[in-house]
Amino acid sequence: MKVAVCVKEVPDPAAPRKIDASTLRLDRSGEGALNPWDLPAVEAALRLVEEHGGEVVCVSVAPERAAATQRKALAMGADRAVLVADEAIAGSDLVATSRVLAEALRREGADLVLFGQQGADSDGAVLWAAVADRLRLPLMSQAAGLEVSGGTARVKRQTEHGYEVIEAPLPCVVAVSDAINEPRYPSLKGIMGAKKKPQETLSLADLGLDAGGVGEAGSGTAVYALGPPPPRGDSLVVEDDGQAAERILEFLVERKLA
Amino acid sequence: MNLDLPEQHELLRRTVRELAGERIAPVAEELDREHRFPYEIVSALAELGLMGVPIPEEYGGAGADTLAYAIAIEELTRIDSSVGVTVAAHTSLGTMPIYLFGSEEQRHRWLPDLASGRRLAAFGLTEPEAGSDAGATRTAATLENGEWVIDGAKMFITNAGTEITALVTITARTGPDEISNLVVENGTPGYEISPPLSKLGWRASDTRALTFSGCRVPEGNLLGPRGNGLRQFLEILDGGRISIAAMGLGLAQGAYEQAMAYARERHQFGRPIASFQAIRFKLADMATEIEAGRQLVYRAAWLKDRGRSFALAAAMAKLYTGELSRRVVNEAVQIHGGYGYMDETPISRFYRDQKILEIGEGTNEIQRLVIARHLGLP
């Protein structure tokens, strides 16, 4: 089977986030990293292909330098990577990005499309829904378990109250939660071999897309202002005099949080 | 001139850093306190190919270069020296002699288990009365009916007595003015391993005293031509120095980062102590010297990877980073104040782990001797 995993380059999660005041976009000039939420999706894809055979292809929409970030997924074991890089894409909102990503995925025709839960930078957690809608494919999200057999994907879906077990016929889109697995570290052999794996960079024209449908022009939303989050308001500091744990528990019980 | 690390080396650094932070940091203090060998960590490192970084793939290694190896050791030691030295001694001292001097038959027999990290290997050079004067080795081996009969003792041997140790390569006198290297497998009758030695630092690593009494090994356990032992162990030590230099660098980097974090968060006189010049200058010096040390270590590795002579560069890197790590860890404890003296603060473990870097694999004095020799002094 062919599994496509959508992976994103995000600014190094360990570094503080900065907003570029002139564009009101996230400053992505620093070191990039593979979105930590995508690692369980890569791991899930690798396990499925280890079990069923086939190939894992990583798909990203990002500036060209993200090819280096994609290599982490290749080092983990993915077979090849596709990157849609085009200057016109900068400034795309979720809806515009989904237009590009969906085209790239349509071209791949994978049996299964996997996403991580959200991006560690913008934390949208809806791109997978937009892409599934454009591809007219069934969508299962918050997958804490995933099995494929006989042309069907079965997902253990995490909800507030427990798990739902749901199925969808392939091809379909699955967004996994980080509870699904513990992603492997890339092996040294994988790291040294990642550069030799096929990587393809596509432009909008390669996908038959028009620049008008992406970037700020193709986005339905616009950012007018950004500011620091407001102060949290009431906060309670519990000094530990030996009974702090009990008092915190009482506080939570009172608000029905525990 | 290009001073950028290759991209795959950066990815390796990130990977080892992640693994060390997630898997080693949480247990380092406990392993040290209980003097417990890190079996689970060795097996995790083995899975990723980190127990045989520079050994070619055909022998079960990862087939990467010395630079990759140095970076891996640096990043492990940044978190835990015991793990760093376990990997460094296994690779540079335990596995390398067999790879460099073994016959094809010997390589295929021992390397796959060692380079993959399923088993560990040790190198027995130091003796109770032969340290810096390694040529004064007294352990003797005589050939009798197709077997070497070994008598003698070795001291301070890393990785010799773990549950997964396969063998030790020892230097032995095989005739008058003749030293050779012999492989002795664990479990050979007449080969006895002491209980773990108790140490100031590196407490989770395995260090033993070895005795050989009428210990017999097959004639075929000789590595390379008879009488080549001296030249062989000097070559092993040259390469090993790069890994110990990488340890000095990693220990200094780890100590510096802890001092930095503490200086930002510790308040005295109503301000973070990092705002005082006395502390800022210490941190500035640390950062500068660490950067200098890093260039020396990477350059030595780079020279070795290009097949150029690297012995001088390796001795310089080893000497410099050994002393660098002492200066840095000393000031790092100073910045931590009283908390730095407490067992629960990692920096106190770093302080104990540091000193051996100026002693093991050639003392500072021996490094200076080696360097001076290369300078062609009269």
Side-chain angles (χ1 to χ4, degrees):
Chain A
M1 68 188 291
K2 180 169 174 178
V3 184
V5 192
C6 299
V7 297
K8 184 177 194 185
E9 180 182 79
V10 297
D12 181 1
R17 289 180 213 184
K18 276 183 294 184
I19 303 289
D20 181 333
S22 60
T23 60
L24 294 181
R25 292 177 197 160
L26 194 61
D27 179 353
R28 296 177 186 275
S29 60
E31 228 178 292
L34 192 58
N35 175 29
W37 293 101
D38 292 342
L39 296 176
V42 175
E43 178 65 34
L46 294 175
R47 289 185 192 186
L48 284 173
V49 166
E50 279 159 9
E51 188 187 339
H52 301 282
E55 70 161 349
V56 175
V57 54
C58 300
V59 183
S60 305
V61 176
E64 264 180 61
R65 64 166 217 177
T69 297
Q70 284 186 319
R71 281 195 278 275
K72 173 163 182 185
L74 296 175
M76 286 172 75
D79 298 285
R80 59 189 181 84
V82 174
L83 171 65
V84 187
D86 200 305
E87 273 171 32
I89 297 172
S92 295
D93 67 1
L94 283 159
V95 171
T97 304
S98 73
R99 197 169 281 140
V100 184
L101 195 51
E103 268 324 297
L105 289 165
R106 208 188 304 275
R107 184 171 166 275
E108 285 296 329
D111 300 297
L112 182 64
V113 177
L114 295 183
F115 278 86
Q117 179 175 309
Q118 64 200 67
D121 48 1
S122 43
D123 297 301
V126 290
L127 187 63
W128 27 267
V131 167
D133 185 61
R134 288 190 188 280
L135 296 173
R136 307 309 300 158
L137 290 178
L139 165 70
M140 300 185 282
S141 62
Q142 285 299 110
L146 168 64
E147 287 166 37
V148 171
S149 68
T152 304
R154 173 185 277 241
V155 154
K156 198 171 128 189
R157 183 171 190 275
Q158 226 172 358
T159 73
E160 271 177 56
H161 312 290
Y163 292 106
E164 295 168 352
V165 177
I166 49 177
E167 286 184 350
L170 298 181
C172 64
V173 176
V174 175
V176 307
S177 89
D178 61 342
I180 192 170
N181 56 41
E182 198 178 317
R184 69 193 68 185
Y185 298 103
S187 73
L188 183 48
K189 232 178 258 187
I191 290 169
M192 293 300 160
K195 260 195 149 163
K196 293 177 204 125
K197 292 187 173 178
Q199 280 186 279
E200 207 180 349
T201 304
L202 303 174
S203 65
L204 288 175
D206 292 331
L207 293 174
L209 286 170
D210 181 53
V214 299
E216 279 171 11
S219 294
T221 58
V223 179
Y224 291 102
L226 280 163
R232 293 204 176 185
D234 291 352
S235 64
L236 178 69
V237 177
V238 182
E239 296 276 351
D240 191 7
D241 53 3
Q243 262 126 40
E246 271 168 50
R247 282 166 53 209
I248 291 169
L249 185 64
E250 270 167 35
F251 176 89
L252 293 172
V253 169
E254 238 169 65
R255 285 159 185 76
K256 298 197 163 52
L257 294 168
Chain B
M1 187 164 180
N2 181 3
L3 291 174
D4 280 329
L5 277 186
E7 177 194 303
Q8 60 267 37
H9 290 74
E10 281 296 354
L11 182 51
L12 171 67
R13 177 195 299 288
R14 269 198 209 194
T15 303
V16 180
R17 187 170 280 213
E18 265 174 43
L19 175 124
E22 290 165 7
R23 300 274 189 89
I24 305 175
V27 295
E29 192 264 332
E30 184 185 321
L31 292 171
D32 176 76
R33 179 164 27 90
E34 298 177 2
H35 299 211
R36 194 145 51 82
F37 187 79
Y39 288 104
E40 305 80 11
I41 294 169
V42 167
S43 119
L45 295 174
E47 220 167 278
L48 302 184
L50 294 171
M51 295 304 291
V53 175
I55 307 295
E57 287 183 50
E58 60 167 315
Y59 302 113
D65 56 15
T66 314
L67 182 60
Y69 173 52
I71 290 170
I73 297 291
E74 174 191 348
E75 288 299 327
L76 293 172
T77 312
R78 176 178 161 269
I79 298 296
D80 187 344
S81 289
S82 288
V83 173
V85 71
T86 298
V87 179
H90 168 68
T91 309
S92 290
L93 303 182
T95 311
M96 264 310 167
I98 295 169
Y99 171 60
L100 289 178
F101 313 122
S103 63
E104 271 312 297
E105 192 270 325
Q106 290 171 327
R107 287 171 161 189
H108 284 291
R109 180 155 144 224
W110 286 309
L111 289 179
D113 272 350
L114 302 181
S116 63
R118 284 190 292 273
R119 307 290 301 273
L120 293 178
F123 187 54
L125 172 63
T126 300
E127 297 192 356
E129 295 183 54
S132 292
D133 185 10
T137 188
R138 283 194 195 171
T139 298
T142 43
L143 203 51
E144 270 177 31
N145 305 325
E147 285 180 326
W148 292 102
V149 184
I150 308 167
D151 286 283
K154 295 289 174 184
M155 198 55 177
F156 310 137
I157 308 306
T158 306
N159 287 341
T162 75
E163 286 164 21
I164 54 170
T165 300
L167 57 88
V168 61
T169 298
I170 58 159
T171 49
R173 228 159 248 299
T174 46
D177 294 323
E178 182 186 286
I179 293 176
S180 306
N181 282 317
L182 296 169
V183 175
V184 183
E185 294 192 355
N186 283 42
T188 306
Y191 170 28
E192 270 185 48
I193 301 168
S194 78
L197 301 178
S198 191
K199 311 186 288 286
L200 172 67
W202 284 8
R203 288 185 170 169
S205 82
D206 181 83
T207 313
R208 310 280 181 151
L210 317 179
T211 49
F212 303 88
S213 359
C215 170
R216 292 172 172 268
V217 300
E219 187 177 358
N221 281 20
L222 176 74
L223 280 188
R226 184 170 169 170
N228 265 22
L230 187 71
R231 192 189 59 72
Q232 290 177 349
F233 81 66
L234 289 174
E235 187 177 337
I236 291 297
L237 293 184
D238 282 342
R241 276 176 195 143
I242 297 178
S243 66
I244 302 299
M247 287 192 68
L249 172 62
L251 186 136
Q253 178 72 33
Y256 159 73
E257 287 176 29
Q258 289 167 49
M260 182 75 133
Y262 187 81
R264 284 173 192 272
E265 129 204 333
R266 171 74 169 172
H267 281 66
Q268 290 290 276
F269 308 103
R271 316 152 44 178
I273 61 171
S275 67
F276 294 110
Q277 194 180 56
I279 304 296
R280 297 166 76 87
F281 278 17
K282 284 188 204 296
L283 291 166
D285 285 345
M286 288 183 191
T288 306
E289 293 183 35
I290 289 170
E291 210 40 57
R294 182 166 286 119
Q295 304 309 322
L296 286 180
V297 177
Y298 290 3
R299 181 167 171 275
W302 182 86
L303 286 170
K304 186 169 192 294
D305 285 333
R306 267 147 200 80
R308 308 212 330 230
S309 42
F310 65 92
L312 174 61
M316 286 175 164
K318 191 329 188 149
L319 172 64
Y320 186 81
T321 55
E323 296 185 347
L324 158 74
S325 62
R326 165 159 46 84
R327 291 192 295 272
V328 170
V329 81
N330 185 44
E331 292 295 6
V333 171
Q334 191 69 23
I335 289 172
H336 279 76
Y339 289 104
Y341 200 66
M342 297 296 113
D343 278 343
E344 62 259 39
T345 312
I347 199 66
S348 68
R349 171 167 53 87
F350 277 60
Y351 190 79
R352 287 187 286 103
D353 283 340
Q354 184 279 323
K355 186 62 210 175
I356 189 64
L357 296 174
E358 298 182 81
I359 298 171
E361 301 228 15
T363 58
N364 290 349
E365 293 73 20
I366 288 291
Q367 304 309 325
R368 289 193 164 86
L369 190 140
V370 169
I371 294 165
R373 218 174 256 162
H374 278 275
L375 299 180
L377 297 167

